[in-house]
Amino acid sequence: MNKKRLNYMIKLLIISDDFTGALDTSVQLATSGAKTYVMVGSCIDFTKIDSNVEVLAIDAETRHLTPEEAYQIVHSIVKEAYIYKKTDSALRGNIGSELTAALAASGAKHIHFIPAFPQMGRTTADGIHYVNGVPIAKSVFGSDHFDPVRYSSVSEIIASQSSIETHVIGRERNGREADRGILVYDASSNQDFENIAAKLMKKNDLHLIAG
């Protein structure tokens, strides 16, 4: 299916690396009244999605795959539409690989990455990700037996799986911002999210976002 037809049917496509992430995001939109549908798997026949669906959330099950496998799956999905790429709020999984895939498949110059989730104590300051005030690599997620987070710097996490350039966008956002690569935003409150969204809306630059 071509991109034009997909965008006509679906206003927002969400890709998550696990089922919980897909539900966490889609339930917020469903509660707001959007007609939302959740699917599991990477082989999606978009022609069979009901035309009434406004938000499609896909659990691509990439959390425990290799970076190369995750890249290919996300790349194949992202080619179809503008999306919101859901990532784990503790930055586990193939963060760098999947963001790179989303960016490459979209053809865009950059992807806006806002990893914070203040309601769960996940915040980002000066490009460092925290859990309840503790740098993520020094938290319980740093000693996760299955998928330990080895760095607290979001840029370092991305760099461990990708060569794409990253730029940290501080909350003050003074000066000229980079316009290529992965743009990592600091955020510690819902107000920060609103400020970021307002700025991107003003620039008509909401087509490719992750967080």
Side-chain angles (χ1 to χ4, degrees), residues 187-204:
S188 60
S189 68
N190 288 334
Q191 185 61 55
D192 288 335
F193 279 93
E194 292 179 13
N195 293 342
I196 294 169
K199 181 174 182 179
L200 296 182
M201 286 180 66
K202 186 176 180 180
K203 296 167 59 179
N204 191 28

Side-chain angles (χ1 to χ4, degrees), residues 162-180:
S162 172
S163 60
I164 196 168
E165 59 183 316
T166 62
H167 304 276
V168 176
I169 311 298
R171 285 192 292 175
E172 296 301 323
R173 299 177 185 84
N174 293 321
R176 183 177 182 277
E177 296 176 2
D179 64 352
R180 290 186 178 276

Side-chain angles (χ1 to χ4, degrees), residues 59-103:
D59 166 21
E61 286 294 312
T62 54
R63 173 75 59 85
H64 301 299
L65 298 180
T66 66
E68 293 76 18
E69 290 171 328
Y71 180 98
Q72 291 300 327
I73 288 174
V74 174
H75 190 283
S76 67
I77 296 174
V78 173
K79 286 192 298 184
E80 298 294 336
Y82 298 125
I83 67 160
Y84 173 83
K85 174 65 185 80
K86 175 67 174 68
T87 57
D88 179 55
S89 64
L91 299 184
R92 293 169 296 182
N94 294 294
I95 302 296
S97 179
E98 295 186 10
L99 292 181
T100 302
L103 184 57

Side-chain angles (χ1 to χ4, degrees), residues 124-128 154-155 166-170 182-186:
T124 312
D126 296 324
I128 304 298
V154 181
S155 294
T166 62
H167 304 276
V168 176
I169 311 298
I182 300 174
L183 309 185
V184 180
Y185 288 78
D186 285 348

Side-chain angles (χ1 to χ4, degrees), residues 40-52:
V40 178
S42 58
C43 297
I44 309 299
D45 184 351
F46 289 103
T47 64
K48 295 183 179 180
I49 304 298
D50 192 287
S51 60
N52 291 324

